[in-house]
Amino acid sequence: MKYSESAEFNERIWKTIAEIPYGRVMSYGKVAQAAGFPGLARRVGQAMHRAPESLGLPWHRVINSSGKIAFAIGSDQYNLQRAKLESEGIEFNKECIDMQQFMYQPSLDEILWKP
DNA sequence: GGGCTGACCTACT
DNA sequence: CAGTAGGCCAGCC
């Protein structure tokens, strides 16, 4: 199947994000990989931006691979995301999150769940 | 149809 | 550690 079906893509990305447990974070690349679309990190950002509010996705648990928030430091969105993460017990070292400690690594079964 | 953009990633210099 | 280069692909001029 060609993953140009954006409806399918979005659905799986949203589902994957929804699976991130409380107090953990995941990078864009990891989300894409876990959803079965390795290499499509950029699409993840687009999918999230287009996700309806009604889904109540924990979008704040998605950060970039360097352990930082993707938004510009000091922006409203940055402050909001950071506040949400800190309220879940995630600690910041300057602007960075300790990946070793807070990165959520889905089970291999789920990674291999792709067809 | 072509070109640019984007809540990005990895690898290399 | 910082900067660059190439890659990915839907969506909007």
Side-chain angles (χ1 to χ4, degrees):
Chain A
M1 111 191 208
K2 53 177 76 170
Y3 38 59
S4 38
E5 304 299 327
S6 62
E8 179 79 5
F9 180 83
N10 289 337
E11 201 174 314
R12 291 170 74 162
I13 290 299
W14 296 339
K15 189 184 248 177
T16 303
I17 292 172
E19 298 283 329
I20 304 175
Y22 181 96
R24 294 298 184 84
V25 295
M26 211 158 141
S27 74
Y28 290 84
K30 278 292 195 294
V31 170
Q33 184 183 5
F37 303 100
L40 302 188
R42 294 188 89 151
R43 302 283 104 243
V44 175
Q46 299 285 348
M48 251 193 300
H49 195 71
R50 293 174 135 289
E53 286 274 333
S54 56
L55 288 181
L57 282 182
W59 57 270
H60 54 278
R61 294 182 191 145
V62 183
I63 59 177
N64 66 24
S65 65
S66 50
K68 294 188 247 180
I69 290 175
F71 296 116
I73 296 174
S75 67
D76 290 345
Q77 313 207 56
Y78 176 91
N79 293 330
L80 175 62
Q81 183 169 6
R82 176 161 177 161
K84 284 178 178 260
L85 291 174
E86 289 181 327
S87 76
E88 295 191 356
I90 294 174
E91 298 165 9
F92 282 74
N93 184 339
K94 300 292 186 183
E95 311 301 340
C96 299
I97 292 174
D98 185 340
M99 302 292 272
Q100 307 278 347
Q101 186 174 359
F102 298 108
M103 171 76 80
Y104 171 56
Q105 187 75 30
S107 68
L108 291 178
D109 289 343
E110 292 196 49
I111 292 180
L112 299 177
W113 155 65
K114 56 191 160 213

